[in-house]
Short mmCIF file of all heavy atoms in Angstrom, two decimals:
data_model
loop_
_atom_site.label_atom_id
_atom_site.label_comp_id
_atom_site.label_asym_id
_atom_site.label_seq_id
_atom_site.Cartn_x
_atom_site.Cartn_y
_atom_site.Cartn_z
N ALA A 18 28.01 -142.89 120.49
CA ALA A 18 27.99 -144.10 121.32
C ALA A 18 28.67 -143.83 122.67
O ALA A 18 28.16 -144.26 123.72
CB ALA A 18 28.70 -145.25 120.60
N ALA A 19 29.79 -143.12 122.65
CA ALA A 19 30.47 -142.79 123.90
C ALA A 19 29.61 -141.91 124.79
O ALA A 19 29.57 -142.09 126.02
CB ALA A 19 31.80 -142.09 123.59
N VAL A 20 28.90 -140.96 124.18
CA VAL A 20 28.03 -140.07 124.96
C VAL A 20 26.88 -140.86 125.59
O VAL A 20 26.56 -140.67 126.78
CB VAL A 20 27.48 -138.95 124.05
CG1 VAL A 20 26.37 -138.18 124.75
CG2 VAL A 20 28.61 -138.00 123.64
N VAL A 21 26.26 -141.74 124.82
CA VAL A 21 25.13 -142.51 125.35
C VAL A 21 25.57 -143.41 126.50
O VAL A 21 24.91 -143.47 127.55
CB VAL A 21 24.48 -143.35 124.22
CG1 VAL A 21 23.48 -144.35 124.80
CG2 VAL A 21 23.79 -142.43 123.23
N VAL A 22 26.68 -144.12 126.32
CA VAL A 22 27.17 -145.00 127.38
C VAL A 22 27.47 -144.19 128.64
O VAL A 22 27.12 -144.59 129.76
CB VAL A 22 28.43 -145.76 126.92
CG1 VAL A 22 29.09 -146.48 128.09
CG2 VAL A 22 28.08 -146.74 125.82
N THR A 23 28.10 -143.04 128.47
CA THR A 23 28.46 -142.21 129.63
C THR A 23 27.23 -141.69 130.35
O THR A 23 27.15 -141.75 131.58
CB THR A 23 29.34 -141.02 129.18
OG1 THR A 23 30.50 -141.53 128.52
CG2 THR A 23 29.77 -140.20 130.39
N VAL A 24 26.26 -141.18 129.62
CA VAL A 24 25.09 -140.58 130.26
C VAL A 24 24.23 -141.66 130.93
O VAL A 24 23.52 -141.37 131.91
CB VAL A 24 24.27 -139.76 129.25
CG1 VAL A 24 23.41 -140.64 128.35
CG2 VAL A 24 23.40 -138.74 129.97
N LEU A 25 24.27 -142.88 130.42
CA LEU A 25 23.52 -143.95 131.06
C LEU A 25 24.19 -144.44 132.34
O LEU A 25 23.52 -144.79 133.31
CB LEU A 25 23.35 -145.13 130.08
CG LEU A 25 22.44 -144.87 128.87
CD1 LEU A 25 22.41 -146.10 127.97
CD2 LEU A 25 21.03 -144.50 129.31
N LEU A 26 25.52 -144.44 132.33
CA LEU A 26 26.25 -144.93 133.49
C LEU A 26 26.47 -143.86 134.55
O LEU A 26 26.47 -144.14 135.75
CB LEU A 26 27.61 -145.50 133.06
CG LEU A 26 27.58 -146.74 132.16
CD1 LEU A 26 29.00 -147.14 131.78
CD2 LEU A 26 26.87 -147.89 132.87
N HIS A 27 26.69 -142.61 134.09
CA HIS A 27 27.01 -141.53 135.04
C HIS A 27 26.40 -140.23 134.51
O HIS A 27 27.08 -139.42 133.88
CB HIS A 27 28.52 -141.39 135.18
CG HIS A 27 28.94 -140.59 136.36
ND1 HIS A 27 29.52 -139.35 136.26
CD2 HIS A 27 28.85 -140.85 137.69
CE1 HIS A 27 29.79 -138.87 137.45
NE2 HIS A 27 29.40 -139.77 138.34
N PRO A 28 25.12 -140.00 134.76
CA PRO A 28 24.42 -138.83 134.18
C PRO A 28 24.75 -137.51 134.88
O PRO A 28 23.96 -136.96 135.62
CB PRO A 28 22.94 -139.20 134.36
CG PRO A 28 22.92 -140.10 135.55
CD PRO A 28 24.19 -140.87 135.52
N VAL A 29 25.96 -137.03 134.62
CA VAL A 29 26.42 -135.75 135.14
C VAL A 29 26.93 -134.93 133.97
O VAL A 29 27.65 -135.45 133.11
CB VAL A 29 27.53 -135.93 136.19
CG1 VAL A 29 28.04 -134.59 136.69
CG2 VAL A 29 27.04 -136.77 137.36
N ALA A 30 26.57 -133.65 133.93
CA ALA A 30 26.88 -132.80 132.78
C ALA A 30 28.38 -132.76 132.47
O ALA A 30 28.79 -132.89 131.32
CB ALA A 30 26.35 -131.39 133.01
N THR A 31 29.20 -132.57 133.50
CA THR A 31 30.64 -132.44 133.27
C THR A 31 31.23 -133.74 132.72
O THR A 31 32.11 -133.72 131.85
CB THR A 31 31.35 -132.06 134.57
OG1 THR A 31 30.99 -132.99 135.61
CG2 THR A 31 30.97 -130.65 135.01
N THR A 32 30.74 -134.88 133.20
CA THR A 32 31.25 -136.16 132.73
C THR A 32 30.87 -136.40 131.27
O THR A 32 31.69 -136.86 130.46
CB THR A 32 30.70 -137.31 133.60
OG1 THR A 32 30.98 -137.03 134.97
CG2 THR A 32 31.35 -138.62 133.23
N VAL A 33 29.63 -136.10 130.93
CA VAL A 33 29.18 -136.26 129.55
C VAL A 33 29.96 -135.33 128.63
O VAL A 33 30.36 -135.71 127.52
CB VAL A 33 27.67 -135.99 129.44
CG1 VAL A 33 27.21 -136.03 127.98
CG2 VAL A 33 26.88 -137.01 130.26
N TRP A 34 30.19 -134.11 129.07
CA TRP A 34 30.95 -133.13 128.28
C TRP A 34 32.35 -133.65 127.99
O TRP A 34 32.82 -133.61 126.84
CB TRP A 34 31.01 -131.82 129.06
CG TRP A 34 31.79 -130.72 128.40
CD1 TRP A 34 31.48 -130.09 127.25
CD2 TRP A 34 33.01 -130.12 128.88
NE1 TRP A 34 32.42 -129.11 126.97
CE2 TRP A 34 33.36 -129.12 127.96
CE3 TRP A 34 33.80 -130.33 130.00
CZ2 TRP A 34 34.50 -128.33 128.12
CZ3 TRP A 34 34.93 -129.55 130.17
CH2 TRP A 34 35.27 -128.56 129.24
N VAL A 35 33.02 -134.16 129.01
CA VAL A 35 34.39 -134.66 128.82
C VAL A 35 34.40 -135.92 127.96
O VAL A 35 35.29 -136.10 127.13
CB VAL A 35 35.06 -134.92 130.19
CG1 VAL A 35 36.38 -135.65 130.02
CG2 VAL A 35 35.29 -133.60 130.91
N ALA A 36 33.39 -136.80 128.14
CA ALA A 36 33.33 -138.01 127.31
C ALA A 36 33.22 -137.65 125.84
O ALA A 36 33.88 -138.24 124.97
CB ALA A 36 32.15 -138.87 127.74
N ARG A 37 32.38 -136.67 125.53
CA ARG A 37 32.23 -136.23 124.14
C ARG A 37 33.53 -135.64 123.61
O ARG A 37 33.93 -135.91 122.47
CB ARG A 37 31.10 -135.20 124.04
CG ARG A 37 30.88 -134.67 122.63
CD ARG A 37 29.75 -133.66 122.63
NE ARG A 37 28.45 -134.32 122.83
CZ ARG A 37 27.34 -133.68 123.19
NH1 ARG A 37 27.38 -132.36 123.41
NH2 ARG A 37 26.21 -134.34 123.32
N ILE A 38 34.20 -134.86 124.43
CA ILE A 38 35.46 -134.24 124.02
C ILE A 38 36.53 -135.29 123.77
O ILE A 38 37.26 -135.24 122.77
CB ILE A 38 35.93 -133.24 125.10
CG1 ILE A 38 35.07 -131.97 125.03
CG2 ILE A 38 37.40 -132.89 124.92
CD1 ILE A 38 35.39 -130.99 126.12
N VAL A 39 36.66 -136.25 124.68
CA VAL A 39 37.69 -137.29 124.55
C VAL A 39 37.45 -138.12 123.29
O VAL A 39 38.38 -138.39 122.51
CB VAL A 39 37.72 -138.19 125.79
CG1 VAL A 39 38.61 -139.41 125.55
CG2 VAL A 39 38.22 -137.41 127.00
N ALA A 40 36.20 -138.52 123.06
CA ALA A 40 35.89 -139.31 121.86
C ALA A 40 36.17 -138.50 120.59
O ALA A 40 36.75 -139.02 119.63
CB ALA A 40 34.43 -139.76 121.91
N THR A 41 35.77 -137.24 120.59
CA THR A 41 35.99 -136.39 119.41
C THR A 41 37.47 -136.21 119.13
O THR A 41 37.92 -136.36 117.98
CB THR A 41 35.32 -135.02 119.61
OG1 THR A 41 33.92 -135.19 119.86
CG2 THR A 41 35.51 -134.15 118.38
N GLY A 42 38.23 -135.87 120.17
CA GLY A 42 39.66 -135.65 119.98
C GLY A 42 40.40 -136.90 119.54
O GLY A 42 41.28 -136.85 118.67
N ALA A 43 40.03 -138.05 120.12
CA ALA A 43 40.71 -139.30 119.76
C ALA A 43 40.41 -139.71 118.33
O ALA A 43 41.30 -140.16 117.59
CB ALA A 43 40.28 -140.41 120.73
N LEU A 44 39.16 -139.54 117.90
CA LEU A 44 38.76 -139.98 116.56
C LEU A 44 39.24 -139.03 115.46
O LEU A 44 39.16 -139.37 114.27
CB LEU A 44 37.25 -140.14 116.49
CG LEU A 44 36.72 -141.36 117.27
CD1 LEU A 44 35.20 -141.30 117.39
CD2 LEU A 44 37.16 -142.66 116.60
N MET A 45 39.73 -137.85 115.84
CA MET A 45 40.30 -136.96 114.83
C MET A 45 41.58 -137.52 114.22
O MET A 45 42.07 -137.02 113.20
CB MET A 45 40.57 -135.57 115.43
CG MET A 45 39.31 -134.77 115.71
SD MET A 45 39.65 -133.06 116.15
CE MET A 45 40.09 -132.38 114.55
N VAL A 46 42.12 -138.56 114.84
CA VAL A 46 43.31 -139.20 114.30
C VAL A 46 43.00 -139.90 112.97
O VAL A 46 43.88 -140.01 112.10
CB VAL A 46 43.87 -140.22 115.33
CG1 VAL A 46 45.01 -141.03 114.74
CG2 VAL A 46 44.34 -139.50 116.58
N LEU A 47 41.76 -140.36 112.80
CA LEU A 47 41.42 -141.15 111.60
C LEU A 47 41.69 -140.40 110.29
O LEU A 47 42.40 -140.92 109.43
CB LEU A 47 39.95 -141.59 111.68
CG LEU A 47 39.60 -142.57 112.81
CD1 LEU A 47 38.12 -142.91 112.76
CD2 LEU A 47 40.44 -143.82 112.71
N PRO A 48 41.12 -139.20 110.08
CA PRO A 48 41.43 -138.51 108.82
C PRO A 48 42.89 -138.09 108.72
O PRO A 48 43.44 -138.00 107.61
CB PRO A 48 40.50 -137.29 108.84
CG PRO A 48 40.12 -137.11 110.26
CD PRO A 48 40.13 -138.47 110.87
N PHE A 49 43.53 -137.86 109.85
CA PHE A 49 44.95 -137.49 109.82
C PHE A 49 45.78 -138.65 109.30
O PHE A 49 46.68 -138.47 108.48
CB PHE A 49 45.41 -137.07 111.22
CG PHE A 49 46.77 -136.43 111.25
CD1 PHE A 49 46.91 -135.08 110.99
CD2 PHE A 49 47.90 -137.17 111.52
CE1 PHE A 49 48.17 -134.48 111.01
CE2 PHE A 49 49.15 -136.59 111.54
CZ PHE A 49 49.28 -135.24 111.28
N VAL A 50 45.49 -139.85 109.77
CA VAL A 50 46.22 -141.04 109.31
C VAL A 50 45.94 -141.32 107.84
O VAL A 50 46.78 -141.86 107.12
CB VAL A 50 45.85 -142.26 110.18
CG1 VAL A 50 46.43 -143.54 109.62
CG2 VAL A 50 46.34 -142.05 111.61
N ALA A 51 44.73 -140.93 107.37
CA ALA A 51 44.36 -141.17 105.97
C ALA A 51 45.07 -140.25 104.99
O ALA A 51 44.98 -140.45 103.78
CB ALA A 51 42.85 -141.02 105.81
N LEU A 52 45.78 -139.24 105.48
CA LEU A 52 46.48 -138.31 104.59
C LEU A 52 47.63 -139.00 103.87
O LEU A 52 48.27 -139.91 104.41
CB LEU A 52 47.05 -137.14 105.40
CG LEU A 52 46.09 -136.10 105.94
CD1 LEU A 52 46.84 -135.11 106.81
CD2 LEU A 52 45.38 -135.37 104.81
N PRO A 53 47.94 -138.56 102.66
CA PRO A 53 49.16 -139.03 102.00
C PRO A 53 50.38 -138.62 102.82
O PRO A 53 50.37 -137.60 103.51
CB PRO A 53 49.15 -138.30 100.65
CG PRO A 53 47.75 -137.83 100.46
CD PRO A 53 47.18 -137.61 101.81
N ASP A 54 51.41 -139.42 102.74
CA ASP A 54 52.61 -139.18 103.55
C ASP A 54 53.21 -137.81 103.27
O ASP A 54 53.72 -137.15 104.18
CB ASP A 54 53.63 -140.28 103.28
CG ASP A 54 54.81 -140.22 104.24
OD1 ASP A 54 54.56 -140.22 105.46
OD2 ASP A 54 55.96 -140.12 103.77
N ARG A 55 53.13 -137.33 102.03
CA ARG A 55 53.74 -136.04 101.68
C ARG A 55 53.02 -134.87 102.37
O ARG A 55 53.59 -133.78 102.51
CB ARG A 55 53.74 -135.83 100.17
CG ARG A 55 52.36 -135.85 99.56
CD ARG A 55 52.41 -135.78 98.04
NE ARG A 55 51.10 -135.98 97.45
CZ ARG A 55 50.18 -135.04 97.36
NH1 ARG A 55 50.43 -133.82 97.81
NH2 ARG A 55 49.02 -135.30 96.80
N LEU A 56 51.75 -135.06 102.79
CA LEU A 56 51.03 -134.02 103.52
C LEU A 56 51.10 -134.25 105.03
O LEU A 56 51.08 -133.30 105.80
CB LEU A 56 49.57 -133.99 103.08
CG LEU A 56 49.30 -133.64 101.61
CD1 LEU A 56 47.80 -133.64 101.33
CD2 LEU A 56 49.89 -132.27 101.28
N ARG A 57 51.15 -135.51 105.43
CA ARG A 57 51.19 -135.81 106.86
C ARG A 57 52.52 -135.41 107.48
O ARG A 57 52.57 -134.96 108.62
CB ARG A 57 50.90 -137.30 107.09
CG ARG A 57 50.71 -137.65 108.56
CD ARG A 57 50.16 -139.06 108.73
NE ARG A 57 51.01 -140.06 108.11
CZ ARG A 57 50.67 -140.75 107.03
NH1 ARG A 57 49.50 -140.55 106.46
NH2 ARG A 57 51.51 -141.65 106.52
N ARG A 58 53.61 -135.56 106.73
CA ARG A 58 54.93 -135.23 107.28
C ARG A 58 55.03 -133.77 107.71
O ARG A 58 55.41 -133.50 108.85
CB ARG A 58 56.04 -135.57 106.27
CG ARG A 58 56.42 -137.02 106.23
CD ARG A 58 57.81 -137.20 105.61
NE ARG A 58 57.92 -136.46 104.35
CZ ARG A 58 57.62 -136.97 103.17
NH1 ARG A 58 57.18 -138.20 103.07
NH2 ARG A 58 57.77 -136.25 102.07
N PRO A 59 54.72 -132.79 106.85
CA PRO A 59 54.80 -131.39 107.31
C PRO A 59 53.79 -131.07 108.40
O PRO A 59 54.03 -130.20 109.24
CB PRO A 59 54.53 -130.57 106.04
CG PRO A 59 53.86 -131.50 105.10
CD PRO A 59 54.40 -132.85 105.41
N ALA A 60 52.65 -131.77 108.42
CA ALA A 60 51.66 -131.54 109.48
C ALA A 60 52.17 -132.00 110.83
O ALA A 60 51.72 -131.52 111.88
CB ALA A 60 50.35 -132.25 109.14
#
């Protein structure tokens, strides 16, 4: 969804690349938060 919105509003390769990276990096928090506390603490 982030990629589609970005490419429709600003169709430039570098912008789309960064939008995909930012969305991917931000959403990696979800499985990390889902970890049990005993595994998340040492991580």
